[in-house]
Amino acid sequence: MSDLNVFRSRHSVREYAREALSRSTVETLIEAATLAPSAMNGQPWHFTVIQDRALLQTISDRAKAHLLATEQALPGDAKRMLEGQTYNVFYNAPVLIVISAPEQSPWAVEDCALAAENLMLAAAAEGLGSCWIGFAQRLLATAVGASLIGLPSGFRCVAPIIVGKPAVTPSPVARRPATIHWIG
Ligand SMILES: Cc1cc2nc3c(=O)[nH]c(=O)nc-3n(C[C@H](O)[C@H](O)[C@H](O)COP(=O)(O)O)c2cc1C
């Protein structure tokens, strides 16, 4: 129980093998997501699994255009990436899992983010790569984006997570030492 290696082995993966994931693998990751705590045990999450490559490409193209048109304060690097013709915000991963929740759910962001972290850690435990794709979030949180992926009425995207077999093992991203203020 004290093994932190799964935490150490989770990295955001940005290069994937083309291989699809089985339905049972995806269901295992989603089961892990639902083991997350949630405010007042509300469990407001809904999971949309997208494996249709043409749809993923469409969402990527529209997400890039949406961000470039609506975000005034994009950092230069992000703007250059999004302007790249061949840049796919999903890195051609075989699966996108969108975690959404009812718009009026008061703890939707916290609950879905915890579910997302569980899902990403479960992926790492299964030897899979994952990455939260903030670049897709803005589009998917609009009515147009929600309809592209068939979200239930009144649901809003919180966490778009790609998953797949990693094509390369990324180097760990360094962490700053934690600032800790001990009291007592
Ligand atoms: C809310 C959120 C949004 C993110 N959006 C993106 C994204 O759009 N594209 C991307 O390549 N990585 C994205 N990431 C991944 C971060 O860049 C990554 O977690 C960070 O650099 C630390 O690296 P690690 O996950 O490998 O430890 C996002 C992460 C979070 C938590």
Side-chain angles (χ1 to χ4, degrees):
M1 289 294 276
S2 64
D3 189 347
L4 290 181
N5 284 336
V6 70
F7 294 82
R8 296 191 182 104
S9 72
R10 188 218 52 82
H11 309 296
S12 291
V13 170
R14 300 182 176 86
E15 273 185 70
Y16 291 89
R18 272 195 77 80
E19 211 173 318
L21 298 186
S22 69
R23 192 173 270 244
S24 71
T25 299
V26 173
E27 284 170 351
T28 299
L29 302 183
I30 291 176
E31 185 199 347
T34 65
L35 297 176
S38 61
M40 300 182 71
N41 195 24
Q43 305 179 44
W45 37 64
H46 173 81
F47 301 89
T48 306
V49 181
I50 304 149
Q51 303 175 92
D52 177 331
R53 287 201 175 263
L55 179 58
L56 290 171
Q57 186 64 54
T58 301
I59 300 169
S60 172
D61 293 343
R62 294 181 74 158
K64 287 160 66 181
H66 180 75
L67 274 180
L68 288 167
T70 58
E71 270 297 321
Q72 318 305 333
L74 274 177
D77 284 356
K79 191 164 181 290
R80 272 189 293 283
M81 277 170 89
L82 292 167
E83 282 170 346
Q85 293 281 311
T86 57
Y87 178 67
N88 179 300
V89 299
F90 302 125
Y91 303 102
N92 302 305
V95 184
L96 169 68
I97 303 175
V98 175
I99 309 179
S100 60
E103 268 172 277
Q104 76 279 8
S105 171
W107 301 95
V109 172
E110 292 83 351
D111 294 341
C112 291
L114 287 164
E117 175 67 339
N118 267 23
L119 192 151
M120 292 188 285
L121 288 170
E126 297 287 319
L128 298 171
S130 67
C131 188
W132 182 314
I133 303 298
F135 276 165
Q137 227 168 302
R138 292 290 166 78
L139 173 76
L140 293 175
T142 65
V144 170
S147 75
L148 271 175
I149 59 167
L151 287 192
S153 169
F155 276 62
R156 192 184 164 95
C157 160
V158 176
I161 310 289
I162 52 170
V163 191
K165 298 218 164 91
V168 292
T169 307
S171 313
V173 173
R175 293 302 198 257
R176 288 188 289 274
T179 344
I180 305 176
H181 178 195
W182 295 93
I183 300 177

